[in-house]
Amino acid sequence: MSPIITAFERSPDGGKGLARDMRVRWALEEVGQPYEVRLVSFSAMKEPAHLALHPFGQIPTYEEGDLALFETGAIILHIAERHPGLLPKDANARARAIMWMFAALNTVEPPILDLAIALIVERGEPWAKDRLPLVMDRVRTRLSELSHCLGDAEWLDGAFSAGDLMMVSVLLRLRPSGLLDEFPNLAAYVARGEARPAYERAFAAQRAVFTVSSVG
Ligand code: GTB
């Protein structure tokens, strides 16, 4: 039985692949696991049926038999542990790949989310113009550290892993800000992720949802 994931019925990004179902789709495509998608509206996400799956009323969720998961970190780790392709066999390399997943979610993503909030939610506030440069600098600091770590390598630790999948997914959110282009090795790293056939299939699938919902 194929797992079922949830995604926005109508993603606010207009199908640019920035909503977090994209990273789950990408992981499933990388390991060759077919999946089904249940689309949910913003109001349905806050109703009891969805809240039973996701206590915070968000997407994505992941259902497989009697297992139900929320949180993209947990979902991708589950996929990576169940299927070959996203975690190395060597125990130490595996632990380091998981470390990079956590680094993406806990260390790199928070300032990026703060920037998204500053640009979208806080834009009209009288103090927004003063705060924005500080928020951007916090992102720059993380990018500079990550850029140093990556150096000229193709991926963060040897072969492509769930750590790279998560890191590229997190960095993609920065594209509209132009900050990524200040670090050419990171921009190239993200482009390598996007060029993977599994990423392209996942992107096309989420994009198709938006195209259909805009026409209908
Ligand atoms: N920590 C959770 C995880 O990683 O799974 C966070 C899940 C989450 O933030 N889900 C968002 C959601 O359901 C969608 S992805 N939001 C609705 C709500 O909270 O009521 C975040 C997102 C949304 C929109 C864009 N965009 O338009 O560019 C990008 C990312």
Side-chain angles (χ1 to χ4, degrees), residues 8 12-13 18-20 42 45-46 57-59 71-72 173:
F8 280 134
D13 73 350
L18 298 177
R20 291 177 194 219
F42 275 95
M45 275 191 274
K46 309 302 173 194
Q58 297 183 313
I59 59 99
E71 281 300 329
T72 51
R173 186 95 187 249

Side-chain angles (χ1 to χ4, degrees), residues 14 25 41 45 65 67 79 88 104 135 137 151 162 179 182 189 191 204-205 207:
R25 291 172 184 270
S41 64
M45 275 191 274
L67 174 69
I79 295 168
V135 176
D137 274 348
L179 280 177
E182 294 180 18
Y189 170 66
R207 176 93 193 139

Side-chain angles (χ1 to χ4, degrees), residues 52-91:
L53 287 173
H54 197 310
F56 307 113
Q58 297 183 313
I59 59 99
T61 57
Y62 177 98
E63 293 159 81
E64 184 184 28
D66 54 10
L67 174 69
L69 294 174
F70 60 92
E71 281 300 329
T72 51
I75 296 169
I76 288 165
L77 185 55
H78 170 77
I79 295 168
E81 282 183 329
R82 292 296 158 97
H83 303 269
L86 283 173
L87 286 176
K89 285 201 175 72
D90 173 77

